[in-house]
Amino acid sequence: MTHGNCILQWSLNAREHAISSCVETERNVYMTDDEQHDHGMSGPVFAVGGPSAYDEVVRFTDAVKALRPLPEIPHPDFLLFQTLHLTAELLWYNMHFDIVRAADDLRGGDYRSAHRLVRRATELQRLTVTHLSQVRSGIPQTEFLQIRASLPDGGSGLDSPGMRNLHKACRHLWRCFTAAMESDGVASEAELLEADATHPHLRTVALEMLELDDAMLGWQQEHQRMVWARLGGHPTLDGGPRDGPVSLTGRSVGVLDRFVAHMRFPRLWQAVQDYHESMAKHQAYGGTHR
C-alpha cells in the first residue's frame, strides 16, 4: 500500500469512528421518538449530528456522554441538576488552571498578567454562583426531594474534585503572593490597601484576590441558602440544626455552617479591618481620608 493510500485509509477509518461515535452518543444519550412519547414528550429528538470542525474543537459529543442517558434519569429535572453541577466542575477546572498560571506570573514579577488571570477566575466563580441559584430557583422543593431520594447514599459535595483542587490552587497562589510581597519589600498586607500604595500593580492583585475570595464565599452562602430552602435546618428554627435534617452522609446539615464563612485569604480580610481601624483613628484626630 502506498503512502497516499495509507493516509486515505487512515482518514476513512477516522471518519468511520467519528460517525460511529456520534451514532453511539445519539443512541445512548438521547431518546428515540418512541421513548419520548413513553415519557409524555413530543417533538423532535435532539440530533447530535455528524463529525464537524466545530465538534473537533468543542468536543460536545464527548462531553455530553458524561450526562446520564435521558431514558435513565430518575426525574425530568435531574438533567438540569446534573448539568449545573457538571458545569460548575468544568468552570472550577478552568479556574484552577488560571489561578496556577497567576501564581507563576507572581513568581515571575508579571503582576498585570497575574491580575488579569485572577480577575478571570473571579468572573468564572460568579458564574458558578448563578448556576447554583438556578438549582434553587429552577427546581421546586418537591422535585428536588424526589431527585435527592434517587442519589446514592454517602454522596457529598465535599467530594467535589473542582472545589478540592481550588483550595489547593488558592493556597499555592497565597504562597506566591506573600513571596512577591517579601521580594518587593512590602511590610504588610494593609500597606497594599492604602490608596497611595507604592506598589500599585501588586495592590491590584491583592484587591482581586479579595474579589475572588468574596465570590467563593458567595457560592458557599448560596449553597447554604439552597439547603435551608430545600431541606430546612436554619439555626433559628425549632430544635436547631442538630435535630434537623441530615445530609446523604448522615451528618446534620448544621455542619455546613462552619464552611459558610471559610476564607482562602484571611490575612487580606484582616488587612481590610486593620486599615479601616487605622483610618478611623486617623479621622478621629482630625485627619482626612487619603
Side-chain angles (χ1 to χ4, degrees):
M1 183 180 291
T2 65
H3 179 68
N5 287 338
C6 286
I7 294 177
L8 177 60
Q9 185 60 48
W10 179 87
S11 300
L12 290 173
N13 291 341
R15 180 176 178 79
E16 182 179 351
H17 173 75
I19 293 173
S20 174
S21 177
C22 285
V23 171
E24 183 71 14
T25 301
E26 190 161 355
R27 182 172 65 250
N28 289 339
V29 178
Y30 304 108
M31 297 182 183
T32 65
D33 290 323
D34 290 340
E35 287 173 328
Q36 284 202 147
H37 290 304
D38 289 342
H39 283 72
M41 300 169 60
S42 61
V45 175
F46 189 104
V48 176
S52 66
Y54 174 85
D55 194 66
E56 187 176 339
V57 174
V58 178
R59 308 294 290 273
F60 172 74
T61 54
D62 289 330
V64 78
K65 293 178 183 178
L67 297 174
R68 186 176 296 187
L70 293 183
E72 299 176 11
I73 59 176
H75 187 282
D77 286 347
F78 182 86
L79 178 61
L80 178 63
F81 180 85
Q82 187 186 11
T83 299
L84 292 174
H85 279 78
L86 183 58
T87 302
E89 292 293 340
L90 291 173
L91 289 172
W92 287 332
Y93 180 77
N94 200 144
M95 286 173 60
H96 179 276
F97 180 62
D98 283 345
I99 291 171
V100 171
R101 291 175 62 204
D104 287 342
D105 285 336
L106 282 173
R107 289 194 297 184
D110 192 347
Y111 299 158
R112 291 185 178 181
S113 178
H115 170 258
R116 178 181 69 87
L117 291 168
V118 175
R119 181 175 182 80
R120 188 161 73 186
T122 301
E123 295 302 323
L124 292 178
Q125 178 60 18
R126 287 178 177 148
L127 282 177
T128 70
V129 178
T130 300
H131 293 161
L132 185 58
S133 70
Q134 282 294 312
V135 176
R136 182 160 59 98
S137 63
I139 305 178
Q141 184 181 22
T142 299
E143 284 72 13
F144 181 89
L145 294 177
Q146 290 174 1
I147 292 171
R148 188 172 186 267
S150 71
L151 301 178
D153 292 336
S156 171
L158 297 176
D159 294 331
S160 161
M163 190 59 72
R164 286 202 314 270
N165 282 284
L166 268 187
H167 291 324
K168 295 178 183 179
C170 286
R171 287 196 294 269
H172 176 61
L173 178 65
W174 178 252
R175 288 192 293 268
C176 292
F177 174 76
T178 54
M181 284 180 54
E182 183 178 354
S183 175
D184 287 6
V186 179
S188 68
E189 291 82 5
E191 180 182 328
L192 285 175
L193 299 185
E194 297 177 1
D196 58 353
T198 56
H199 299 83
H201 297 309
L202 189 58
R203 177 179 187 267
T204 60
V205 176
L207 293 175
E208 195 56 51
M209 287 170 65
L210 276 170
E211 290 295 318
L212 172 61
D213 213 354
D214 179 71
M216 296 182 75
L217 284 166
W219 187 93
Q220 291 160 200
Q221 292 159 6
E222 179 61 31
H223 183 269
Q224 185 72 306
R225 286 193 292 270
M226 183 192 69
V227 170
W228 289 339
R230 293 295 173 262
L231 303 180
H234 193 281
T236 62
L237 298 178
D238 292 341
R242 181 177 298 177
D243 299 323
V246 297
S247 68
L248 293 173
T249 62
R251 294 181 295 179
S252 167
V253 297
V255 301
L256 295 174
D257 292 345
R258 63 190 178 96
F259 294 113
V260 172
H262 175 72
M263 297 176 290
R264 264 94 352 216
F265 312 122
R267 279 170 53 181
L268 286 179
W269 292 102
Q270 183 65 51
V272 170
Q273 179 173 309
D274 293 345
Y275 183 55
H276 165 258
E277 291 174 351
S278 68
M279 289 303 299
K281 291 178 182 178
H282 182 70
Q283 291 168 354
Y285 286 99
T288 57
H289 192 286
R290 289 187 293 170

